[in-house]
Amino acid sequence: MSTSAQIPGKGQPTPAAGKAKRSQREVARTGAIVVLAILLTLFAVFNLKEVKVSYVFGSGKAPLIVVIVISVLFGIVLTYLAERLQQRKKKP
């Protein structure tokens, strides 16, 4: 056995050694995403109370966060469809 055998992990470049540092913009974007994730989690935790929801054909109970999320998603879909309809009218 040779005494010059390499020890694993010694003298070899680390995987991150060849990579450039992240730019300030990337770090800021990552930080903003983390902060938004924390805020959304807190928002969900504080809005778990059951509320009565009246539908067109009846009513029921649901957690407030579910009602809020469904309302936001419904608004996003309606906005998207309205923009597509408006773009279609503009085309000759």
Side-chain angles (χ1 to χ4, degrees):
M1 197 167 226
S2 168
T3 57
S4 64
Q6 288 187 348
I7 300 171
K10 296 281 185 179
Q12 297 174 357
T14 59
K19 294 183 180 179
K21 285 188 168 184
R22 289 185 177 196
S23 70
Q24 286 183 334
R25 188 176 194 170
E26 289 174 332
V27 172
R29 184 180 303 154
T30 302
I33 289 171
V34 169
V35 168
L36 275 173
I38 291 170
L39 289 175
L40 285 172
T41 303
L42 289 173
F43 183 74
V45 168
F46 290 130
N47 286 298
L48 290 177
K49 182 179 177 184
E50 291 269 325
V51 293
K52 183 179 178 185
V53 181
S54 297
Y55 305 106
V56 176
F57 298 107
S59 64
K61 289 187 176 183
L64 182 58
I65 187 65
V66 172
V67 175
I68 293 170
V69 169
I70 290 174
S71 299
V72 168
L73 291 175
F74 190 68
I76 290 170
V77 169
L78 284 178
T79 303
Y80 173 77
L81 292 175
E83 287 176 355
R84 294 257 335 232
L85 182 63
Q86 192 175 27
Q87 288 175 355
R88 191 174 286 175
K89 286 183 179 179
K90 287 183 180 180
K91 288 184 180 179

